[in-house]
Amino acid sequence: MSILKKIAIGLSAVGPGLFLIGYNIGTGSVTTMAKVGAEYGMTLTWALVLSCIFTYILMVAYGKTTLVTGHTALFNIKNNFRFGKVLAIYIMIALIIGEMLALMGIMGIVSDLISEGFRLLTGTPVNTLLITSILVVFLYALFWYGRYQVFEKILMGFVILMALTFILVFFMVRPDFSSLASGLIPTIPKTDGAFALIAAIAGTTCSAAVFIMRSTVVAEKGWTIKELEQEKKDSAVSATMMFVLSLIIMAVGAGTLHVMGMQLNNTVEMIGLFEPIGGKFAAFLLILGIAGAGLSTIFPIILIAPWLISDYTGRERNIRSPMYRTLGLVGILFCFGTQFMATPPPIVMVLSQAFQALILPAVAIPIYLLINRKALMGDDTAGQGMNAGIIAVILFSLITSYFAIIGLF
């Protein structure tokens, strides 16, 4: 068996994890991590480490609950609490609002970057409205004719492209490793905006939407409790890759822009700042990586509203059904949002990431109760280690929600 075939089989075995990497590491992550690195160096690495550890814990917890019960997250929340319907509807509405905000920011940033890419290649930028229109038609066509397995393969391609480009750019700009290492001591910077960025790190990594979607993609994979170890391995791969990619993006910002005393205000400016550091090739690679990161998040976001409705109602998840196609069309039209807004796309992204941090407690607390309910889980309730981990996540979610409130208001 060839090495490439072995790699392909290995990647297919961790499909849900790759799906969530593609969903989670998007332009929001890139913008947030690069801004953190540029403004604070590596001093907020501790927040990223905690976020990824807690991401793993909740992914395992939500995945295990789905494996045992055969039902997805919102369905379990709705049917196992006294006010479960109210809580499930709140989670569903909050997630959809947050993701639509993110979608506007994502497509705005991707269109700006592609326009900048054309400028690098030809000397002339392309109208961003035209770019957005072409991408929307292309992506909705894929959505119309696609299946979950097709999306998984497309996302796998985007994730690999994103990972390779960021790793290449990391070595091309040659960040000072001694300055990176010296900045690993955990601190909270005493400057305006620091709390919002900590909340954004949590919101873009330990995202409430990821855990609700986790149960759905595990169900789509058709796994049962027999695949529990596979589910844990898949979660570990996903959380580890999220950490590595996010750390590389932060380190690129810390080892270059932070050392030079520069700040990052928007993503296109980042390309302009990196061009003299790593040359046009590095700038173009960065555009490919960020665009790949952005496009990898669009399919899951388009799917979130119909998937959540199917999750809540217990209906079959049929991507080609009228409900999915209609809601998918409504969702993808939000891609045009920043074309008609005065607010820059990166600001919209930061708002959406901080908003995600506010939803996390409503997702972390219910899973602690569900996974310890004997009548629901039988002999597969959480052990002491898992319970300690989920309690730590709950405390973390309350703290980052507080940071989000301070940072936003």
Side-chain angles (χ1 to χ4, degrees), residues 12 24 31 40 127 140 175 177 184 186 244 247 250 252 254 280-281 299 310 337 355 364 397:
S12 66
N24 217 30
T31 304
Y40 301 113
N127 182 271
Y140 190 68
F177 289 96
L184 289 173
V244 171
L247 188 68
M250 188 190 295
V252 168
K280 282 190 174 182
F281 183 63
F299 280 127
S310 293
F355 185 75
S397 72

Side-chain angles (χ1 to χ4, degrees), residues 22-23 46 53 67 95 97 129 141 186 223 225 257 260 269-270 295 307 320 377 400-401 404:
Y23 171 67
W46 61 270
I53 291 172
L67 295 180
L95 289 181
I97 291 173
L129 180 58
W223 287 350
I225 192 60
L257 306 181
M260 296 161 62
E269 278 184 10
M270 180 168 68
L295 293 174
W307 262 2
R320 296 187 178 185
M377 299 294 292
T400 52
S401 294

Side-chain angles (χ1 to χ4, degrees), residues 15-90:
L18 285 173
F19 190 95
L20 292 175
I21 295 165
Y23 171 67
N24 217 30
I25 304 294
T27 50
S29 296
V30 173
T31 304
T32 299
M33 296 304 168
K35 186 174 180 62
V36 168
E39 296 188 14
Y40 301 113
M42 300 299 289
T43 56
L44 296 181
T45 301
W46 61 270
L48 175 62
V49 172
L50 288 177
S51 295
C52 290
I53 291 172
F54 294 151
T55 295
Y56 167 75
I57 292 169
L58 285 193
M59 279 200 295
V60 171
Y62 267 98
K64 182 178 180 179
T65 305
T66 297
L67 295 180
V68 173
T69 65
H71 297 297
T72 45
L74 288 185
F75 186 86
N76 281 328
I77 291 172
K78 181 186 75 170
N79 291 287
N80 287 282
F81 296 110
R82 184 177 178 183
F83 298 103
K85 288 185 179 180
V86 175
L87 177 58
I89 291 172
Y90 162 74

Side-chain angles (χ1 to χ4, degrees), residues 381-393:
T381 53
Q384 290 182 349
M386 173 64 74
N387 280 328
I390 298 175
I391 290 171
V393 177

Side-chain angles (χ1 to χ4, degrees), residues 166-238:
F166 282 128
I167 291 169
L168 281 172
V169 169
F170 177 77
F171 286 106
M172 287 183 71
V173 299
R174 298 186 298 275
D176 181 21
F177 289 96
S178 62
S179 67
L180 300 185
S182 64
L184 289 173
I185 300 171
T187 57
I188 299 179
K190 296 179 180 179
T191 57
D192 291 340
F195 286 116
L197 278 178
I198 293 171
I201 291 172
T204 194
T205 307
C206 195
S207 168
V210 166
F211 311 120
I212 300 297
M213 295 286 278
R214 173 70 183 177
S215 68
T216 302
V217 294
V218 166
E220 284 287 336
K221 200 72 176 177
W223 287 350
T224 65
I225 192 60
K226 294 179 181 179
E227 280 81 28
L228 178 59
E229 290 305 313
Q230 178 65 31
E231 194 266 338
K232 290 180 179 178
K233 185 188 300 182
D234 179 81
S235 297
V237 169
S238 182

Side-chain angles (χ1 to χ4, degrees), residues 132-316:
T132 300
S133 301
I134 292 171
L135 286 174
V136 163
V137 171
F138 173 70
L139 292 169
Y140 190 68
L142 287 176
F143 179 81
W144 184 274
Y145 294 106
R147 295 172 300 164
Y148 169 79
Q149 290 79 7
V150 174
F151 295 148
E152 194 175 273
K153 290 177 181 178
I154 293 172
L155 285 171
M156 189 185 297
F158 280 135
V159 169
I160 293 170
L161 170 67
M162 172 177 59
L164 290 176
T165 52
F166 282 128
I167 291 169
L168 281 172
V169 169
F170 177 77
F171 286 106
M172 287 183 71
V173 299
R174 298 186 298 275
D176 181 21
F177 289 96
S178 62
S179 67
L180 300 185
S182 64
L184 289 173
I185 300 171
T187 57
I188 299 179
K190 296 179 180 179
T191 57
D192 291 340
F195 286 116
L197 278 178
I198 293 171
I201 291 172
T204 194
T205 307
C206 195
S207 168
V210 166
F211 311 120
I212 300 297
M213 295 286 278
R214 173 70 183 177
S215 68
T216 302
V217 294
V218 166
E220 284 287 336
K221 200 72 176 177
W223 287 350
T224 65
I225 192 60
K226 294 179 181 179
E227 280 81 28
L228 178 59
E229 290 305 313
Q230 178 65 31
E231 194 266 338
K232 290 180 179 178
K233 185 188 300 182
D234 179 81
S235 297
V237 169
S238 182
T240 301
M241 286 191 67
M242 286 178 193
F243 171 73
V244 171
L245 290 175
S246 298
L247 188 68
I248 286 174
I249 298 165
M250 188 190 295
V252 168
T256 53
L257 306 181
H258 182 69
V259 172
M260 296 161 62
M262 296 180 176
Q263 287 195 346
L264 179 65
N265 295 316
N266 66 60
T267 316
V268 174
E269 278 184 10
M270 180 168 68
I271 305 302
L273 292 173
F274 273 100
E275 190 174 342
I277 298 171
K280 282 190 174 182
F281 183 63
F284 190 69
L285 277 178
L286 202 60
I287 289 172
L288 282 178
I290 300 173
L295 293 174
S296 73
T297 63
I298 289 175
F299 280 127
I301 289 177
I302 293 170
L303 282 169
I304 194 166
W307 262 2
L308 289 177
I309 291 171
S310 293
D311 187 349
Y312 178 82
T313 59
R315 292 182 188 175
E316 179 187 5

